[in-house]
Amino acid sequence: MRLLTTVAALRCFLTKRRLESQVRVLEEKILDGLTSWYQTDVGLVPTMGNLHQGHLSLIERARQENSTVIVSIFINPLQFGPNEDYGHYPRTLEQDRQLCEQAGVDAIFAPSPDEIGIPQKNIQESQVTQVIPPSAMISGLCGRSRLGHFQGVATIVTKLLNLVQPDRAYFGQKDGQQLAVIKRLVADLNVPVEIVACPTVREASGLACSSRNQYLTAQEKQQAAVLYRSLLQAEAAFKAGVRYSSRLLEVVQQELAKVSSVLVEYIELVEPTTLMPLDKIQEEGMLAIAARLGATRLIDNTILRDRQPIIAIDGPAGAGKSTVARQVATKLGLVYLDTGAMYRAVTWLVLQQGIAIDDECVIAELANKCKIELTPSQDLQSPVRVWINDTDVTQAIRTIEVTSQVSAIAAQAAVRQALVKQQQSLGKRGGLVAEGRDIGTHVFPEAEVKIFLTASVGERARRRQQDFKTQAQPEVSLEQLEKDIAERDWKDSTRKVSPLKKAEDAIELQTDGLSISDVASRIINYYQQRLSQW
């Protein structure tokens, strides 16, 4: 791991790293013929140092999804007000360095303010060019008491994104207002980066992890846990059918009032993307709190979603994910998110329009402009009807011509990114069953039900051999199939980027000796158990 303190060193490191990654990709393609989508990607985790478990969860996610991970450590003077704790903010670079090395970070970028042209003044006094988010997004919530804070955050985040030029940047949901502002910044300025929101990490008491928690005494830490308890009370009320802001805020206030030392700054319900106040939750809302305990200011929030659950099924090749997912969706009356059909639909459109398969720029434009819809069907042979740009292509995408070209289209990074975006958009409504290798960890990390479907190598080899017989394909020995599957498992699980991995909150289902119906029934039972708890 490298510690970089200058812009010149950072640029040199990234140039060499990207070149090395491209060489490795070429070597891997030659060796195994497999294509990975994220092999040269760079992930950035912006921090102010004094790393804790919350930061480490961001790093872990970045490590899973990128070949290079950069952690920036910069205590940004522009986001501190005149009477805030800039001078006393914890500076623990050596400790942070050790944690990053243990977490597999490739480089830390820890510049001085002068190195990146940031004067050690607050935003009001600074003469530096500023990035100013929409006033409506920064005038409420924390913006009321922290004047200039979000201008300072937006300015330094823009600088870091320009310097690193990452494919993805990772931020925690705990700072919900900051997350919304940065997403808007990236969208408005057309910055080519994906902002990845990661769940809030909490201490055993429920207190959200924060560098400022160390300011709290042991007693204050116990008292501070009331913030999370109040959010849990609101979640319970929401699950019971409460949708109006006035009642949800009242529930939070009643719980917070039990700890008199907690001085509430605000309790608000806002739309998570625009931060506009909500009177009633139609689809989703962010319930946010800021409070002071002694001299320490604490924030927390929760997202309340009114949607049907998502079932995410991941697992190794040959575990029966696709067949099981189709059956689960049919029995529960949910939509089977046939990701393979989405890639086939794009391939059909490419062929239909006479576009060359290797014309990636035109295909990228096509993939980002097309609209794909999936609707349930009573036809057991085609349980999902597939539409692209209002044309039903359910049968057309199953032709030999499409089948022979879909792998080449799916291997193009821009297509993958465009379709993941569409999949996540479909997921906002919920009511989906989706399967893959990273559905629960990357595409739908917020899925309510996560299943990791697996089976022994021997079982999967027997199933594949039976499939070959059913399809009248040439027979392959069990020994060879087991060898192929074991090799594929090793490659999938040891990939540097997006490896096959069970999500922390997924349940593992071993399917040896079980029929498809047995597996589907177990998932449905688990789903119904979870549903009864919501």
Side-chain angles (χ1 to χ4, degrees):
M1 188 190 73
R2 304 293 295 273
L3 175 62
L4 312 171
T5 60
T6 65
V7 170
L10 174 69
R11 286 176 172 157
C12 180
F13 175 84
L14 287 169
T15 299
K16 290 185 66 177
R17 189 77 183 183
R18 286 186 168 108
L19 181 60
E20 290 168 359
S21 293
Q22 289 167 358
V23 171
R24 281 201 303 273
V25 169
L26 182 59
E27 290 174 347
E28 288 178 14
K29 285 183 179 179
I30 293 171
L31 288 172
D32 61 28
L34 295 176
T35 300
S36 296
W37 281 293
Y38 296 118
Q39 290 285 6
T40 62
D41 285 6
V42 173
L44 170 66
V45 182
T47 81
M48 291 206 300
N50 195 227
L51 303 183
H52 51 66
Q53 285 301 318
H55 295 116
L56 295 179
S57 73
L58 304 182
I59 293 170
E60 181 181 2
R61 176 80 180 270
R63 180 73 282 160
Q64 292 173 10
E65 298 176 354
N66 305 275
S67 63
T68 299
V69 175
I70 307 290
V71 171
S72 64
I73 295 178
F74 181 71
I75 302 174
N76 176 22
L78 300 182
Q79 69 186 70
F80 288 82
N83 300 313
E84 292 187 335
D85 56 344
Y86 174 69
H88 300 289
Y89 196 87
R91 290 160 169 80
T92 57
L93 183 58
E94 186 51 41
Q95 175 184 306
D96 295 341
R97 186 175 181 170
Q98 293 174 14
L99 288 172
C100 284
E101 191 151 19
Q102 293 166 9
V105 170
D106 296 291
I108 293 173
F109 179 49
S112 67
D114 289 341
E115 175 63 24
I116 55 173
I118 298 292
Q120 295 192 45
K121 300 177 180 180
N122 61 57
I123 197 76
Q124 289 91 346
E125 298 173 351
S126 172
Q127 297 300 311
V128 72
T129 298
Q130 298 177 25
V131 178
I132 304 177
S135 59
M137 296 188 74
I138 61 175
S139 57
L141 302 176
C142 292
R144 286 197 200 92
S145 62
R146 305 194 71 187
L147 298 178
H149 170 76
F150 290 107
Q151 291 96 314
V153 170
T155 299
I156 193 60
V157 167
T158 302
K159 270 184 169 285
L160 290 170
L161 294 178
N162 280 334
L163 287 166
V164 178
Q165 297 184 11
D167 297 275
R168 294 174 198 81
Y170 296 79
F171 296 86
Q173 179 59 51
K174 189 206 77 167
D175 298 292
Q177 187 174 13
Q178 171 181 277
L179 178 62
V181 165
I182 290 169
K183 283 186 172 182
R184 179 66 178 270
L185 177 160
V186 163
D188 286 353
L189 300 183
N190 300 111
V191 182
V193 63
E194 177 188 352
I195 301 300
V196 181
C198 299
T200 301
V201 176
R202 300 181 180 280
E203 298 184 8
S205 66
L207 176 63
C209 290
S210 168
S211 296
R212 290 189 169 95
N213 288 356
Q214 64 185 294
Y215 297 159
L216 300 171
T217 66
Q219 182 181 12
E220 285 175 335
K221 273 197 171 188
Q222 290 182 343
Q223 294 169 335
V226 73
L227 270 69
Y228 183 52
R229 289 201 303 273
S230 71
L231 293 175
L232 289 179
Q233 292 292 331
E235 287 180 8
F238 181 76
K239 290 172 184 176
V242 176
R243 294 292 180 271
Y244 284 97
S245 171
S246 56
R247 178 57 186 141
L248 290 168
L249 299 186
E250 183 183 346
V251 168
V252 173
Q253 182 63 63
Q254 286 174 350
E255 186 66 26
L256 290 173
K258 295 177 181 179
V259 181
S260 59
S261 55
V262 172
L263 303 178
V264 176
E265 184 179 305
Y266 68 73
I267 309 167
E268 293 192 40
L269 180 68
V270 299
E271 200 284 323
T273 304
T274 64
L275 303 178
M276 293 298 98
L278 291 176
D279 291 326
K280 181 183 179 182
I281 297 177
Q282 301 289 349
E283 293 183 354
E284 63 177 7
M286 180 172 74
L287 187 56
I289 303 173
R292 289 189 179 275
L293 196 57
T296 307
R297 185 175 185 274
L298 302 170
I299 60 172
D300 206 344
N301 68 76
T302 187
I303 303 295
L304 303 175
R305 292 188 179 91
D306 191 5
R307 71 172 193 197
Q308 283 187 284
I310 291 175
I311 302 176
I313 303 176
D314 288 314
K321 301 185 296 293
S322 178
T323 309
V324 167
R326 289 174 188 271
Q327 195 167 123
V328 169
T330 300
K331 290 188 175 181
L332 290 174
L334 304 177
V335 174
Y336 168 54
L337 184 61
D338 192 342
T339 55
M342 296 178 76
Y343 287 101
R344 285 176 172 271
V346 172
T347 304
W348 175 86
L349 193 58
V350 168
L351 296 172
Q352 188 78 3
Q353 296 192 6
I355 299 168
I357 295 297
D358 60 352
D359 194 341
E360 296 194 13
C361 295
V362 174
I363 292 172
E365 187 170 358
L366 189 76
N368 279 276
K369 284 185 174 181
C370 73
K371 181 183 72 172
I372 300 175
E373 295 177 277
L374 304 174
T375 57
S377 167
Q378 297 304 312
D379 183 354
L380 294 180
Q381 298 301 315
S382 301
V384 175
R385 299 202 70 78
V386 185
W387 305 73
I388 187 164
N389 296 342
D390 299 321
T391 299
D392 186 342
V393 293
T394 307
Q395 301 304 324
I397 63 175
R398 301 296 170 185
T399 63
I400 294 174
E401 188 180 17
V402 170
T403 300
S404 66
Q405 300 293 348
V406 66
S407 294
I409 298 297
Q412 297 179 25
V415 175
R416 159 78 172 182
Q417 290 164 6
L419 293 193
V420 166
K421 189 175 179 180
Q422 286 210 34
Q423 290 159 19
Q424 291 173 334
S425 179
L426 290 169
K428 287 183 179 179
R429 298 193 297 267
L432 298 178
V433 181
E435 51 84 16
R437 192 184 73 209
D438 61 353
I439 292 292
T441 53
H442 175 66
V443 182
F444 296 121
E446 78 288 357
E448 288 81 3
V449 174
K450 296 181 184 178
I451 307 293
F452 191 80
L453 204 63
T454 188
S456 66
V457 170
E459 177 72 12
R460 284 183 280 149
R462 284 190 292 275
R463 291 175 186 172
R464 184 163 295 178
Q465 189 180 60
Q466 185 58 47
D467 287 342
F468 286 166
K469 288 179 181 178
T470 303
Q471 298 163 11
Q473 294 187 26
E475 188 173 336
V476 182
S477 70
L478 276 175
E479 184 180 6
Q480 182 60 48
L481 287 171
E482 288 179 0
K483 181 180 177 182
D484 292 346
I485 289 171
E487 185 177 350
R488 174 68 182 272
D489 284 353
W490 181 82
K491 287 176 180 176
D492 281 350
S493 60
T494 58
R495 289 174 187 268
K496 189 171 181 62
V497 176
S498 196
L500 175 66
K501 182 180 180 181
K502 182 171 80 75
E504 287 186 8
D505 52 347
I507 65 160
E508 183 169 331
L509 185 52
Q510 170 64 244
T511 65
D512 282 32
L514 299 177
S515 67
I516 294 297
S517 294
D518 291 336
V519 176
S521 294
R522 293 192 181 194
I523 293 174
I524 290 168
N525 287 339
Y526 176 65
Y527 168 85
Q528 290 170 338
Q529 288 173 13
R530 290 296 308 275
L531 202 61
S532 67
Q533 297 167 4
W534 296 325

